[in-house]
Amino acid sequence: MPTVNQWSPFLDATTTGTWYLTGSAGTTTGCNLTTQCTFQAVLAALDDGGAEPVIYTAGVSKGRDFLWAGAVDGLRINRRVHDFEPDGVRISRAR
């Protein structure tokens, strides 16, 4: 039974779940859809002395095991927090 009409605590996706990269980055690092990695493993694989990685898109998935009915809010990427509101997305700096 899903929890309704209340927020869950913030989830830190850098310490839970798995991550993967697409295209040549996924192939090069080994962190691809087939072989997903921890966040720390993705960071280590990208720390090769080359140009800093750029995030073009981000997606959130919970998997196929249990029902999830909800929304994402307060999505933090680096130092920016993305708050999804009815009138659009507000972006602020993380504290």
Side-chain angles (χ1 to χ4, degrees):
M1 182 89 173
T3 303
V4 295
N5 298 326
Q6 66 182 13
W7 288 102
S8 69
F10 280 102
L11 304 174
D12 183 350
T14 64
T15 59
T16 61
T18 55
W19 294 73
Y20 67 93
L21 306 172
T22 58
S24 63
T27 303
T28 302
T29 62
C31 296
N32 53 50
L33 184 57
T34 304
T35 310
Q36 298 182 18
C37 299
T38 65
F39 186 72
Q40 294 306 318
V42 170
L43 290 180
L46 293 173
D47 189 16
D48 62 0
E52 284 197 28
V54 176
I55 298 172
Y56 293 108
T57 61
V60 177
S61 173
K62 74 112 222 104
R64 298 180 289 185
D65 52 354
F66 299 103
L67 171 71
W68 179 70
V72 173
D73 197 24
L75 174 64
R76 179 177 173 174
I77 298 177
N78 297 326
R79 299 193 190 288
R80 293 184 177 172
V81 177
H82 304 261
D83 283 317
F84 302 92
E85 305 300 336
D87 59 343
V89 180
R90 289 191 310 222
I91 300 174
S92 59
R93 291 196 57 82
R95 294 181 212 152

